């Protein structure tokens, strides 16, 4: 099993920024407790507060799949539906 990295760039709608940030903080708090989570870091852009970057490392693709199906992740997706201008996820493997 190979470690997998996820980099997600999220641009919140300006009027939803504080809501999205609060939801992301809750997501991080729950995700770092998952067995397959190595790191789960949230960043907010210094020049554009609507831009968030999530940097995650998972023990395996299977661990990431379990995360994607977790109750807290599914709840995040549902709660934030329509709150983003952009949401791009890149799944990567170290070379």
């Amino acid at each position: 099993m190979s470690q997998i990295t996820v980099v997600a760039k999220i641009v919140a709608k300006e009027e939803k920024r504080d809501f999205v940030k609060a939801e992301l903080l809750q997501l991080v708090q729950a995700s770092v407790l998952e067995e397959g989570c190595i790191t789960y870091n949230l960043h907010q852009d210094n020049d554009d507060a609507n831009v968030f970057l999530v940097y995650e490392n998972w023990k395996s693709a299977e661990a990431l799949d379990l995360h994607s199906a977790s109750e807290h992740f599914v709840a995040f997706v549902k709660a934030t539906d329509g709150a983003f201008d952009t949401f791009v996820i890149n799944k990567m493997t170290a070379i």
Side-chain angles (χ1 to χ4, degrees), residues 11-76:
V11 180
K13 292 181 178 177
E14 188 162 354
E15 68 276 10
K16 298 286 188 177
R17 176 181 56 230
D18 292 338
F19 170 73
V20 167
K21 183 176 181 177
E23 290 294 319
L24 283 166
L25 288 168
Q26 286 182 22
L27 178 62
V28 170
Q29 186 175 22
S31 298
V32 297
L33 300 176
E34 292 181 57
E35 185 176 328
C37 182
I38 299 168
T39 58
Y40 205 102
N41 299 308
L42 174 63
H43 305 270
Q44 188 172 20
D45 190 86
N46 291 338
D47 296 323
D48 184 349
N50 296 330
V51 177
F52 299 92
L53 184 84
V54 181
Y55 180 80
E56 314 165 28
N57 286 296
W58 296 91
K59 290 182 180 177
S60 65
E62 293 78 15
L64 177 57
D65 289 343
L66 289 172
H67 167 66
S68 298
S70 69
E71 186 177 322
H72 56 270
F73 185 81
V74 172
F76 167 79

